[in-house]
């Protein structure tokens, strides 16, 4: 299936915004978060005197297919070719990955004859567990610096953007897959139809596809507006994901809800002609829940914007009060989502002195736009701040555990989302 018909091209030429999946004109705003720089670009000290490009974070919802989406302001090539996000720096995330491998192996009987391909395989954080279980793997990763790390640890990885073309080449080369994995990549795909078509092409006749992506229903419910940033072009309900997969000849036969990234879905699909896997009740159950929440009608998407604004007011109020009382406030973590939160709320170094991150790649650098400096986590021990704002709030339990020592000087944790909470 292709949506690149003549009509959308003309409409787009005239300045209208077009749905990435179905080609309809986008008229309805989901939320407008103002302007923000690219969130995974961490300037070094030498970069601080240069200008930075800001892009709008104006999110639309398509009134026909309900795909919530941002325009691709900067090309995926620019964003992802030298990407700073190394997946392997969170313990709980790695545990999640290892569990996934075990589940796939037992449920679908993967063995030494099986072949697993992961699209956007990052530094091999996931495929390494299949390698340890003697399953043959291939990673596809567009960021050369990240792919190099994967290759070094024994996860064969090609440096390419994934799409129908690469899938055809792999299939022609006899490398169709028993399992195709796309974890947290669907949101980052500019040409959604070409990408999903590629996933299908890569599947063997009885191959399984699993996709994990943040669940739009939870994003709305839990007010996770900071997970909206330029690197994420699309935000999916199951309703919309299903519609897209079906359009490309895929059948969703199961879905699981995960706690990762503030609430994600893992969708299982096969070729539509493969009758091996009966559709589980989980699919209809979740679709019904989304319909109840209003996600099958345009009106269901109203109200999010005002909820987001209230969060801003509460967070800024907290930080202003702390500043007036002379309390020291620092951050923990430098995740992509911190750029959206800080820019939308207008928070800079005057309210959050510095942040820390475990990734050596980010230490010594600065958060984009706000130029809040990023240090090694030991800095917190040295400066003994009154408040530590946990920016990757999805990992708050793990982080509070690691940073228990701030209690010794009466330090407290601040979690900004879904609403400002002090622990
Ligand atoms: Zn659409």
């Amino acid at each position: 299936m292709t949506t690149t018909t003549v009509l959308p091209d003309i409409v787009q030429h005239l300045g209208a915004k077009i749905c990435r999946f179905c080609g309809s004109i986008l008229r309805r705003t989901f939320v407008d978060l103002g302007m923000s720089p690219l969130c995974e670009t961490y300037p070094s000290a030498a970069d601080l005197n240069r200008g930075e490009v800001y892009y709008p974070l104006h999110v639309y919802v398509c009134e026909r297919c309900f795909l919530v989406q941002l325009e691709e302001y900067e090309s995926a090539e620019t964003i992802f070719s030298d990407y700073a996000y190394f997946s392997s720096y969170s313990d709980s995330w790695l545990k999640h990955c290892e569990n996934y491998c075990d589940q796939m192996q037992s449920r679908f009987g993967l063995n030494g004859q099986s072949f697993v391909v992961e699209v956007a395989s990052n530094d091999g954080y996931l495929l390494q567990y299949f390698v340890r279980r003697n399953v043959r793997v291939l990673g596809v990763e567009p960021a050369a610096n990240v792919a190099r790390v994967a290759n070094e640890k024994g996860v064969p990885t090609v440096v390419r953007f994934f799409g129908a073309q690469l899938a055809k080449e792999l299939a022609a080369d006899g490398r169709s897959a028993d399992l195709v994995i796309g974890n947290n990549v669907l949101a980052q795909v500019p040409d959604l139809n070409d990408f999903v078509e590629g996933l299908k092409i890569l599947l063997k006749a009885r191959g399984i596809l699993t996709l994990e992506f943040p669940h739009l229903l939870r994003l709305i419910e839990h007010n996770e507006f900071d997970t909206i940033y330029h690197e994420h072009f699309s935000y999916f309900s199951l309703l919309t994901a299903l519609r897209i997969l079906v359009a490309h000849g895929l059948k969703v036969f199961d879905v699981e809800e995960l706690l990762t990234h503030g609430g994600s879905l893992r969708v299982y699909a096969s070729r539509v002609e493969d009758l091996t896997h009966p559709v589980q009740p989980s699919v209809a159950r979740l679709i019904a829940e989304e319909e109840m929440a209003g996600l099958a009608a345009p009106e269901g998407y109203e109200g999010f914007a005002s909820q987001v604004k209230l969060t801003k007011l509460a967070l800024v109020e907290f930080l202003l009060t702390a500043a007036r009382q002379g309390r020291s406030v620092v951050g923990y973590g430098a995740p992509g989502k911190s750029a959206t939160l800080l820019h939308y709320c207008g928070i800079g170094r005057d309210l959050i002195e510095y942040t820390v991150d475990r990734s050596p790649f980010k230490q010594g650098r600065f958060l984009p736009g706000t130029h809040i400096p990023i240090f090694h986590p030991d800095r917190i021990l040295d400066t003994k701040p009154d408040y530590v704002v946990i920016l990757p709030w999805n990992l708050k339990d793990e982080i509070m555990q690691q940073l228990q020592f701030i209690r010794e000087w009466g330090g407290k944790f601040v979690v900004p989302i879904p609403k400002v909470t002090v622990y």
Side-chain angles (χ1 to χ4, degrees):
M1 180 190 146
T2 171
T3 54
T4 318
T5 59
V6 177
L7 185 61
D9 281 350
I10 294 171
V11 174
Q12 206 151 23
H13 183 70
L14 295 172
K17 293 159 186 47
I18 297 294
C19 173
R20 171 168 298 120
F21 167 59
C22 77
S24 302
I25 297 177
L26 299 172
R27 296 188 184 88
R28 185 177 281 266
T29 294
F30 177 59
V31 66
D32 185 353
L33 297 169
M35 302 286 283
S36 194
L38 288 181
C39 73
E40 291 283 357
T41 315
Y42 296 90
S44 66
D47 297 327
L48 294 185
N49 290 328
R50 301 199 186 100
E52 260 170 287
V53 184
Y54 280 57
Y55 301 89
L57 271 180
H58 190 153
V59 191
Y60 291 86
V61 56
C62 174
E63 289 167 296
R64 186 163 149 217
C65 72
F66 303 113
L67 181 63
V68 169
Q69 55 198 294
L70 267 178
E71 268 186 275
E72 183 193 3
Y73 293 103
E74 188 55 270
S75 74
E77 279 80 1
T78 306
I79 295 176
F80 299 112
S81 294
D82 187 21
Y83 205 46
Y85 184 72
F86 283 78
S87 293
S88 295
Y89 286 104
S90 157
D91 298 337
S92 61
W93 180 241
L94 289 176
K95 191 69 206 151
H96 166 78
C97 295
E98 191 168 12
N99 290 342
Y100 167 83
C101 290
D102 287 338
Q103 281 178 42
M104 292 307 108
Q105 235 189 339
S106 57
R107 182 167 177 182
F108 301 114
L110 300 174
N111 55 38
Q113 307 306 312
S114 309
F115 183 51
V116 175
V117 177
E118 186 186 13
V119 175
S121 52
N122 206 274
D123 60 0
Y125 70 103
L126 174 74
L127 289 178
Q128 61 183 345
Y129 297 110
F130 282 112
V131 170
R132 286 178 206 171
R133 288 158 177 75
N134 295 316
V135 176
R136 293 175 308 135
V137 302
L138 179 70
V140 180
E141 169 56 51
N145 59 332
V146 181
R148 197 178 317 119
V149 176
N151 277 309
E152 280 165 8
K153 65 172 132 176
V155 176
T157 303
V158 288
V159 183
R160 286 276 293 273
F161 274 94
F162 182 79
Q165 180 55 37
L166 177 57
K168 280 177 196 159
E169 288 172 30
L170 290 171
D173 199 25
R175 293 200 278 177
S176 300
D178 299 279
L179 174 64
V180 177
I181 307 165
N183 284 350
N184 297 300
V185 59
L186 208 56
Q188 305 175 355
V189 174
D191 190 344
L192 201 50
N193 286 307
D194 179 71
F195 183 87
V196 176
E197 188 62 23
L199 294 174
K200 189 193 64 185
I201 292 168
L202 194 54
L203 281 183
K204 284 185 184 168
R206 293 267 170 106
I208 303 290
L209 167 68
T210 73
L211 295 171
E212 283 181 32
F213 49 86
H215 189 190
L216 179 65
L217 179 63
R218 305 302 166 216
L219 185 155
I220 296 172
E221 273 181 2
H222 303 154
N223 197 29
E224 298 161 354
F225 69 90
D226 60 340
T227 62
I228 295 171
Y229 43 81
H230 298 110
E231 286 79 347
H232 288 172
F233 306 133
S234 312
Y235 304 81
F236 301 88
S237 60
L238 180 60
L239 275 162
T240 300
L242 204 131
R243 196 189 282 242
I244 296 167
L245 293 169
V246 166
H248 290 274
L250 293 162
K251 177 185 74 176
V252 173
F253 62 84
D254 200 1
V255 60
E256 287 167 12
E257 292 195 76
L258 309 170
L259 294 175
T260 49
H261 296 285
S264 297
L265 293 183
R266 178 185 293 152
V267 163
Y268 294 77
S270 66
R271 288 172 177 270
V272 71
E273 59 274 17
D274 176 9
L275 302 177
T276 323
H277 309 281
V279 179
Q280 300 298 313
S282 56
V283 179
R285 196 163 53 224
L286 201 54
I287 292 285
E289 192 188 338
E290 290 188 346
E291 284 173 349
M292 283 285 289
L295 298 190
E299 300 73 37
Y301 296 82
E302 288 169 2
F304 183 67
S306 52
Q307 166 187 323
V308 166
K309 191 174 167 190
L310 288 177
T311 308
K312 169 179 181 164
L313 297 179
L315 180 58
V316 172
E317 214 155 46
F318 172 83
L319 292 173
L320 289 176
T321 305
R324 281 202 199 94
Q325 293 172 343
R327 304 296 175 97
S328 53
V329 182
V330 307
Y332 185 94
K337 55 174 158 278
S338 62
T340 300
L341 181 76
L342 299 175
H343 283 89
Y344 172 69
C345 296
I347 297 165
R349 289 185 68 167
D350 42 0
L351 294 177
I352 294 183
E353 203 178 314
Y354 66 81
T355 192
V356 299
D357 200 278
R358 284 168 76 187
S359 162
F361 187 89
K362 294 176 183 173
Q363 291 162 12
R365 290 178 173 260
F366 297 81
L367 291 182
T370 59
H371 294 175
I372 292 172
I374 309 168
F375 294 109
H376 186 280
D378 285 352
R379 180 90 176 189
I380 291 181
L381 261 177
D382 296 341
T383 67
K384 301 187 171 43
D386 296 310
Y387 293 109
V388 176
V389 181
I390 299 179
L391 296 169
W393 44 258
N394 51 309
L395 305 174
K396 72 171 164 36
D397 295 336
E398 181 180 342
I399 292 166
M400 287 198 275
Q401 192 69 35
Q402 282 166 16
L403 265 60
Q404 268 310 313
F405 58 80
I406 74 165
R407 304 294 188 197
E408 286 167 25
W409 62 81
K412 293 195 166 87
F413 298 103
V414 181
V415 178
I417 304 283
K419 62 185 173 79
V420 182
T421 311
V422 178
Y423 293 89

